[in-house]
Amino acid sequence: MVIKVRDELRNVAIIAHVDHGKTTLVDAMLKESGVFRSNEKVVERVMDSNDLEREKGITIMSKNTAIIHKGTRINIVDTPGHADFGGEVERILKMVDGVLLLVDAYEGAMPQTRFVLRKALGLHLKPVVVINKIDRKDARPAEVIEQILDLFIELGADEDLLDFPVVYTSAKNHIAKYNLQDESDNLEPLFETIKKNIPAPKGDSEAPLQLLVSSIDYDEYIGRIAIGRIERGTIRKDQQAVICKKDGSLQQVKISSLQNFQGLKRTDIDSATIGEIVAVSGISDITIGETICEKDYPDPIPFVDIDEPTISMYFLVNNSPFAGKEGTYVTSRHLRNRLFREVETNVSMRVEETDSPDAFKVSGRGELHLSILIETMRREGYEFQVSKPEVITIEKNGIIYEPIEYLVIDVPEEYLGNVMEKLGQRKAELVNMHSPSQGYVRLDYKIPARSLIGYRSEFLTDTRGNGIMNHVFHGYEPFKGEIKKRNRGVLVAWETGESVTYGLYNAQDRGSLFIGPGVQVYEGMIVGICSRNEDIVVNVCKKKHVTNMRASGSDEALRLVPPINMSLEQCLEFIDDDELIEITPTSIRLRKKILNTEQRAKVRNNAKK
């Protein structure tokens, strides 16, 4: 056995809370390392490659890239910052030897910072702390470093890790410094700190091959592409190998294509050895967590334990009167195939079949995790319905336990009382309270995950859009008791047809409308929110009665209040247990599960008995 140290190679992941500047920093590193031509046009956040990532300004899927710095190859993995995509972070950490822990110079250690650091320390990865956005007027880097040190101690970090290296950066301005007072106009201090502090990969290049698949990509021409790190041995193009499957079986395969990462592109190579992150194509059914081994030496690597989902909802075939009019893929077969294809690459998501062939239970890490899947499928041409999200409880020794989130809120002082009152009603438990800056208060809470369903939009209203809330999964605790649900009913369409101004004008006295004139509606469709705590049936298709004494336009002009346009996330927060969201490529509609008005009334009366 000959242990070889690959001193010319480093594997590092960038981990941080959402919006702390990970992807911007990767942009700066790519540009400074000469990946792009001098005349090449490069978009901002070049690693956020899909439309949803660009629209929402967040990283959803982890990405691989590589740069060469003075003869050292640095493989970089850009990871998601939102807690709902924590499964992406967990599995990707298996590919690296160290992490850049990126922290905003003002916001400091936030919930996701705690989550990703705990995972990194659990895998004994070497951290380098990067204090980003030092150009902010309200930056407080000294206090933030104290926060991070406290966090290391709280998470039980080894003593040698408490003396972590620190680099100060402004990713937007392509600047890195060892000390705040230093002069700098490049990222050289960051590159040198990575090379000095992130361990070089080492192993036996002559031993039998062992490669753990940590990520899956897809190409419409060559199919599935398995991405992983070589833990042992050497992999060669066209060699015979064996896949150690998750169920314990073995599959004989041929490595038909082998690539490594060069900037944003993949480059064909003939072989690679220990520590390299490579892409293997030509294996149609390989999945995350499986190991590619030498043909005669099957030796699987244990995969990281992914935290279980905390929220579930039902995906159903669309059965509304408008079913099949707007979507391309509308059958249960289409829906089933798409959902089970998703779990092959989305390791923290679960899909279960139900008693009905038209319904599937989908579980994920949070509302955003599930809403991104819904929006992606919608853009792909799928048409379906989804139910209200519900938390997943577990039972131990006869006691029901529910998922608890660690919630951090930054709120202006004038809205503090209202926010604390609302959170108290939702069974939130205050853990800490302090003022990071003048005029703002930071509140740390432990709160049931179900209490956060529907709270974000209410919180933004209560704080006039000035509040910031972030949360991350904390653990399971005994059930906290019943929580008050939505306190207003809805306005439900009485008949199928097209909404008209006259009908809407009469309906808006009962509440706030979701639609304007000229919209196709059907019986049982939700067209607004009621001003009272009851559902009211309204006729938004009602036209003015016309006689020979008066024309339809002879009365005064009817003025309509502009309708409320809700996003998909707001719809998920809004709906109640007896309601569904109809999702099509062109529309998002709210509806009652039972469309017929008389049948709904019978069910409601029976429930009261």
Side-chain angles (χ1 to χ4, degrees):
M1 183 176 179
V2 181
I3 298 296
K4 179 183 178 183
V5 178
R6 299 286 309 278
D7 202 46
E8 78 288 0
L9 181 65
R10 298 291 187 277
N11 296 319
V12 62
I14 301 185
I15 57 177
H17 187 79
V18 65
D19 202 29
H20 278 200
K22 293 180 309 304
T23 308
T24 306
L25 183 63
V26 175
D27 279 6
M29 294 171 77
L30 286 167
K31 288 173 183 174
E32 189 142 325
S33 63
V35 166
F36 306 115
R37 301 187 313 275
S38 58
N39 65 341
E40 187 172 351
K41 186 178 179 181
V42 182
V43 296
E44 282 188 17
R45 303 196 325 273
V46 69
M47 293 289 280
D48 284 348
S49 51
N50 74 40
D51 292 340
L52 271 176
E53 290 180 318
R54 293 198 168 281
E55 287 171 23
K56 293 183 176 291
I58 59 173
T59 303
I60 295 170
M61 300 292 289
S62 60
K63 316 286 193 316
N64 293 72
T65 186
I67 60 175
I68 306 293
H69 181 264
K70 295 181 179 178
T72 301
R73 178 185 180 81
I74 304 175
N75 284 316
I76 302 169
V77 186
D78 180 23
T79 60
H82 198 285
D84 283 17
F85 308 105
E88 290 285 313
V89 180
E90 292 170 56
R91 62 184 172 84
I92 237 63
L93 292 179
K94 292 286 282 184
M95 287 201 283
V96 299
D97 301 293
V99 294
L100 297 185
L101 180 66
L102 197 72
V103 185
D104 187 296
Y106 164 70
E107 290 188 354
M110 297 293 278
Q112 183 70 357
T113 314
R114 174 190 303 269
F115 171 80
V116 293
L117 181 59
R118 186 175 76 237
K119 296 294 180 184
L121 294 176
L123 292 168
H124 308 291
L125 299 176
K126 185 72 185 290
V128 170
V129 174
V130 180
I131 306 297
N132 192 32
K133 303 188 184 181
I134 56 172
D135 53 317
R136 285 184 64 157
K137 290 181 180 179
D138 51 5
R140 49 189 189 103
E143 293 175 52
V144 168
I145 289 174
E146 286 294 321
Q147 264 189 23
I148 295 168
L149 180 60
D150 291 343
L151 187 58
F152 269 76
I153 295 169
E154 182 186 330
L155 295 176
D158 298 335
E159 276 193 39
D160 60 318
L161 295 181
L162 297 181
D163 189 23
F164 46 79
V166 179
V167 182
Y168 301 92
T169 64
S170 171
K172 187 173 68 173
N173 298 316
H174 297 204
I175 291 172
K177 304 177 180 182
Y178 294 113
N179 300 291
L180 282 170
Q181 58 271 26
D182 294 350
E183 292 294 326
S184 176
D185 60 359
N186 57 41
L187 293 175
E188 196 65 24
L190 177 61
F191 290 129
E192 293 298 332
T193 303
I194 291 172
K195 288 159 67 173
K196 180 181 176 183
N197 293 281
I198 301 297
K202 58 184 180 181
D204 186 357
S205 59
E206 303 298 323
L209 171 66
Q210 206 179 34
L211 185 155
L212 177 65
V213 178
S214 297
S215 185
I216 293 287
D217 201 354
Y218 185 81
D219 185 281
E220 57 184 299
Y221 298 109
I222 59 178
R224 295 169 73 79
I225 301 168
I227 300 170
R229 167 189 162 128
I230 302 168
E231 300 291 338
R232 190 179 70 195
T234 301
I235 188 169
R236 295 177 179 84
K237 185 181 176 183
D238 295 328
Q239 84 173 79
Q240 296 295 322
V242 65
I243 299 176
C244 300
K245 309 290 282 184
K246 286 182 179 179
D247 59 7
S249 63
L250 301 177
Q251 179 186 353
Q252 302 285 337
V253 295
K254 180 184 177 182
I255 309 299
S256 61
S257 174
L258 188 64
Q259 298 173 311
N260 67 4
F261 293 88
Q262 300 278 1
L264 298 176
K265 302 179 178 69
R266 287 194 287 262
T267 305
D268 289 322
I269 54 175
D270 293 324
S271 66
T273 187
I274 52 164
E276 283 279 11
I277 295 175
V278 295
V280 179
S281 52
I283 307 171
S284 60
D285 55 351
I286 192 166
T287 63
I288 291 166
E290 297 178 344
T291 309
I292 301 175
C293 296
E294 199 82 32
K295 183 181 178 183
D296 300 322
Y297 296 92
D299 184 11
I301 300 171
F303 194 50
V304 64
D305 289 331
I306 303 294
D307 285 347
E308 289 298 309
T310 57
I311 283 185
S312 67
M313 62 197 305
Y314 288 91
F315 282 53
L316 309 102
V317 172
N318 188 14
N319 62 359
S320 84
F322 296 166
K325 290 185 176 181
E326 299 172 358
T328 306
Y329 308 107
V330 298
T331 66
S332 60
R333 178 176 61 84
H334 288 135
L335 185 61
R336 183 186 187 281
N337 291 344
R338 178 61 181 85
L339 291 174
F340 279 97
R341 191 166 77 242
E342 180 69 20
V343 296
E344 292 177 0
T345 56
N346 202 332
V347 292
S348 52
M349 190 168 279
R350 305 279 184 274
V351 176
E352 303 167 48
E353 303 209 43
T354 64
D355 296 338
S356 167
D358 293 341
F360 304 89
K361 184 179 180 182
V362 181
S363 305
R365 292 284 276 269
E367 275 182 284
L368 183 62
H369 191 199
L370 293 168
S371 70
I372 290 293
L373 170 62
I374 293 168
E375 184 63 34
T376 302
M377 290 174 61
R378 178 183 174 220
R379 294 183 183 201
E380 292 171 354
Y382 286 84
E383 184 178 306
F384 55 99
Q385 300 177 135
V386 295
S387 68
K388 178 183 176 64
E390 297 176 347
V391 298
I392 300 170
T393 58
I394 57 176
E395 187 173 341
K396 294 180 184 175
N397 303 321
I399 300 173
I400 301 294
Y401 287 78
E402 66 173 328
I404 302 294
E405 299 279 319
Y406 193 89
L407 173 68
V408 176
I409 281 179
D410 285 330
V411 60
E413 289 176 350
E414 62 262 38
Y415 307 125
L416 181 62
N418 197 14
V419 168
M420 293 185 73
E421 180 185 349
K422 294 284 182 69
L423 288 171
Q425 295 170 0
R426 292 171 177 264
K427 310 288 185 182
E429 178 187 330
L430 185 63
V431 176
N432 195 11
M433 178 177 174
H434 60 102
S435 298
S437 67
Q438 193 69 31
Y440 269 78
V441 178
R442 177 167 292 177
L443 305 169
D444 293 9
Y445 281 97
K446 287 196 298 183
I447 183 170
R450 60 196 165 101
S451 300
L452 290 172
I453 297 174
Y455 179 61
R456 184 176 293 275
S457 55
E458 187 178 331
F459 170 74
L460 291 173
T461 302
D462 290 343
T463 61
R464 305 293 189 271
N466 293 305
I468 301 169
M469 62 178 282
N470 294 284
H471 54 91
V472 67
F473 177 65
H474 180 71
Y476 279 85
E477 292 184 8
F479 191 74
K480 303 292 183 183
E482 290 300 320
I483 295 170
K484 189 172 71 172
K485 296 184 179 180
R486 188 179 77 197
N487 57 7
R488 292 168 70 184
V490 291
L491 303 178
V492 186
W494 181 65
E495 65 176 350
T496 299
E498 183 179 302
S499 61
V500 295
T501 302
Y502 185 74
L504 292 169
Y505 182 76
N506 291 322
Q508 72 180 7
D509 292 338
R510 305 291 186 93
S512 304
L513 295 171
F514 295 155
I515 62 169
V519 176
Q520 294 293 327
V521 300
Y522 52 80
E523 181 185 6
M525 181 173 153
I526 296 170
V527 295
I529 181 168
C530 185
S531 55
R532 293 186 289 180
N533 186 18
E534 62 177 326
D535 294 346
I536 295 179
V537 176
V538 293
N539 188 359
V540 293
C541 304
K542 183 180 181 182
K543 296 180 180 178
K544 182 183 291 187
H545 184 60
V546 180
T547 68
N548 57 0
M549 298 294 293
R550 60 181 182 182
S552 61
S554 62
D555 286 357
E556 70 277 8
L558 303 178
R559 293 183 176 272
L560 293 178
V561 177
I564 299 171
N565 292 315
M566 293 203 295
S567 67
L568 174 60
E569 285 85 358
Q570 288 172 320
C571 290
L572 288 172
E573 293 174 352
F574 177 79
I575 61 170
D576 217 332
D577 296 332
D578 65 336
E579 297 162 3
L580 297 171
I581 307 174
E582 180 185 352
I583 310 286
T584 78
T586 56
S587 308
I588 296 176
R589 302 184 184 95
L590 303 178
R591 53 159 288 185
K592 288 290 184 180
K593 285 183 179 178
I594 301 172
L595 296 177
N596 184 273
T597 304
E598 293 179 2
Q599 289 181 8
R600 272 202 319 278
K602 287 178 183 177
V603 170
R604 190 165 57 246
N605 292 334
N606 289 336
K608 290 178 181 179
K609 291 179 181 178

